[in-house]
Amino acid sequence: MSIGGHDSRLSTSDNYRAFAREAHGRSPAYESLANSVAGDENVLSFLSSLPQQKRQPNLLFASARYLLNKPPSMSQLRALVDQDAVGLAQVMLAHWTQTNEPARCATILPALAGLPGPLSLIEVGASAGLTLLFDRYSYDYDGALLSGSDADAPMLRCSRLGNVPAPIPERMPEIAWRAGLDLNPLDVTSEEDIRWLSCLVWPGEGDRQERLDAAVVSARRDPPAVYRGDLLTDLPEVAAQAPREATLVVYHSAVLAYVAAEDRRRFAETIRSLGAIWLSNEAPGVIADISVHMPVRPEHNGAFLLVRDGRTPLAFTDGHGTWLQWLEGPL
């Protein structure tokens, strides 16, 4: 299950308890709120009226925040369910958990740096395209600094965990072309779309909001192309636009957990047919053939697993980009 997601194998109540565990140490307000929802019959009854994929904790909390213009308390959430269940459901049905955390670039960049350049990038599930802008951001890996092209873009700070040194690049990889693909792309120039992205930020979690704001300012100077489309049918058409002399890389974070297992296999076959490098940054088990072969465990619960080409695990990563635990083995 991805951060803020919904595991169809669990009850709604258990999903909220799982979210509370993910929020522990990150967002005390959401940890408490999720635990309260897990035991609240009225809110759980409201959630049961929605399609299963729309019962996600992060979607509920962001939608309540969208209506209230502030993170909800439990009493405020109960009042919304009691007094405006229709309005809350409408917001939840019209939106998705399209968290567009720029700091995820810090956990994927080391994998990109080991590839022959120049690079062509396609991000699947790109939201507003903020994680297409690797070369605009600057990076701080425990004091190892790398400067991006936009001095006003955020500095992304990422700690290196474990005993294996991550291959931190000395220079930024050359990106010749980039594009995103999303079922419901967000427009980085739209104040309403950016307001939704802000509602997805967990309260109390450090400088995430400031980082998002700075990334949006940078992106608006030259917005990346994000196309509306389905990863199962429209990826080849987007890939056909990439320059042939560049290394094509298809990547995603917290996307395949929302895709049925048989469709994940179809997606993998499509990428292989394109001859692209595939970087998957998802919860362990989403790429089914990998998790049982892991030589070590992540140092933190709720870690993502960065995998190359569906076969080679590269690193455990924080879903919000704050740390990276590289694994043994060549790129």
Side-chain angles (χ1 to χ4, degrees), residues 119-164:
L119 306 178
S120 290
L121 304 180
I122 299 177
E123 183 184 13
V124 174
S127 187
L130 300 181
T131 41
L132 280 161
L133 308 178
F134 291 91
D135 48 348
R136 294 194 202 176
Y137 305 133
S138 295
Y139 301 84
D140 180 351
Y141 295 96
D142 297 323
L145 304 180
L146 183 64
S147 296
S149 62
D150 186 348
D152 295 324
M155 169 75 76
L156 306 181
R157 293 176 171 83
C158 183
S159 297
R160 291 177 285 181
L161 307 182
N163 300 319
V164 180

Side-chain angles (χ1 to χ4, degrees), residues 200-214:
L200 289 165
V201 174
W202 299 3
E205 195 176 11
D207 60 353
R208 281 188 68 199
Q209 185 61 58
E210 291 78 9
R211 192 163 59 232
L212 175 64
D213 292 342

Side-chain angles (χ1 to χ4, degrees), residues 17-304:
R17 291 190 181 93
F19 179 87
R21 292 191 292 272
E22 292 180 15
H24 179 72
R26 291 181 179 272
S27 177
Y30 273 6
E31 179 184 8
S32 174
L33 187 60
N35 277 323
S36 295
V37 169
D40 191 287
E41 292 185 4
N42 285 346
V43 178
L44 291 175
S45 177
F46 163 76
L47 290 168
S48 71
S49 70
L50 301 174
Q52 189 176 70
Q53 68 272 22
K54 290 292 185 176
R55 302 173 192 173
Q56 304 155 18
N58 212 24
L59 181 60
L60 173 64
F61 299 164
S63 297
R65 183 174 184 172
Y66 186 85
L67 292 172
L68 296 169
N69 290 313
K70 60 182 178 180
S73 66
M74 189 60 200
S75 62
Q76 291 167 331
L77 183 58
R78 286 194 190 102
L80 266 181
V81 170
D82 290 341
Q83 300 168 18
D84 192 17
V86 172
L88 180 58
Q90 287 176 341
V91 175
M92 294 178 71
L93 292 171
H95 292 85
W96 289 261
T97 51
Q98 293 176 281
T99 301
N100 204 192
E101 174 50 68
R104 288 175 178 165
C105 287
T107 60
I108 299 173
L109 182 64
L112 293 180
L115 301 176
L119 306 178
S120 290
L121 304 180
I122 299 177
E123 183 184 13
V124 174
S127 187
L130 300 181
T131 41
L132 280 161
L133 308 178
F134 291 91
D135 48 348
R136 294 194 202 176
Y137 305 133
S138 295
Y139 301 84
D140 180 351
Y141 295 96
D142 297 323
L145 304 180
L146 183 64
S147 296
S149 62
D150 186 348
D152 295 324
M155 169 75 76
L156 306 181
R157 293 176 171 83
C158 183
S159 297
R160 291 177 285 181
L161 307 182
N163 300 319
V164 180
I168 304 304
E170 295 182 358
R171 64 186 65 183
M172 202 71 71
E174 179 186 355
I175 300 175
W177 179 89
R178 73 195 87 203
L181 181 66
D182 199 289
L183 280 172
N184 184 53
L186 299 181
D187 181 355
V188 76
T189 68
S190 164
E191 293 298 333
E192 193 65 13
D193 283 358
I194 298 307
R195 185 164 89 88
W196 175 248
L197 282 183
S198 293
C199 287
L200 289 165
V201 174
W202 299 3
E205 195 176 11
D207 60 353
R208 281 188 68 199
Q209 185 61 58
E210 291 78 9
R211 192 163 59 232
L212 175 64
D213 292 342
V216 167
V217 169
S218 180
R220 283 177 169 174
R221 295 192 184 107
D222 184 15
V226 181
Y227 298 99
R228 185 180 301 274
D230 190 304
L231 58 85
L232 295 175
T233 56
D234 299 308
L235 180 58
E237 183 177 353
V238 176
Q241 302 178 43
R244 294 186 177 181
E245 65 274 11
T247 299
L248 179 62
V249 183
V250 177
Y251 68 99
H252 50 86
S253 292
V255 171
L256 291 192
Y258 301 98
V259 177
E262 61 272 18
D263 290 336
R264 295 175 200 171
R265 289 189 286 271
R266 288 176 54 199
F267 174 63
E269 291 168 0
T270 298
I271 294 177
R272 289 169 184 141
S273 73
L274 296 172
I277 301 294
W278 175 22
L279 296 176
S280 171
N281 191 39
E282 302 279 350
V286 171
I287 304 297
D289 296 336
I290 294 296
S291 59
V292 295
H293 303 300
M294 292 308 307
V296 297
R297 302 298 302 168
E299 293 197 10
H300 291 288
N301 293 328
F304 283 6

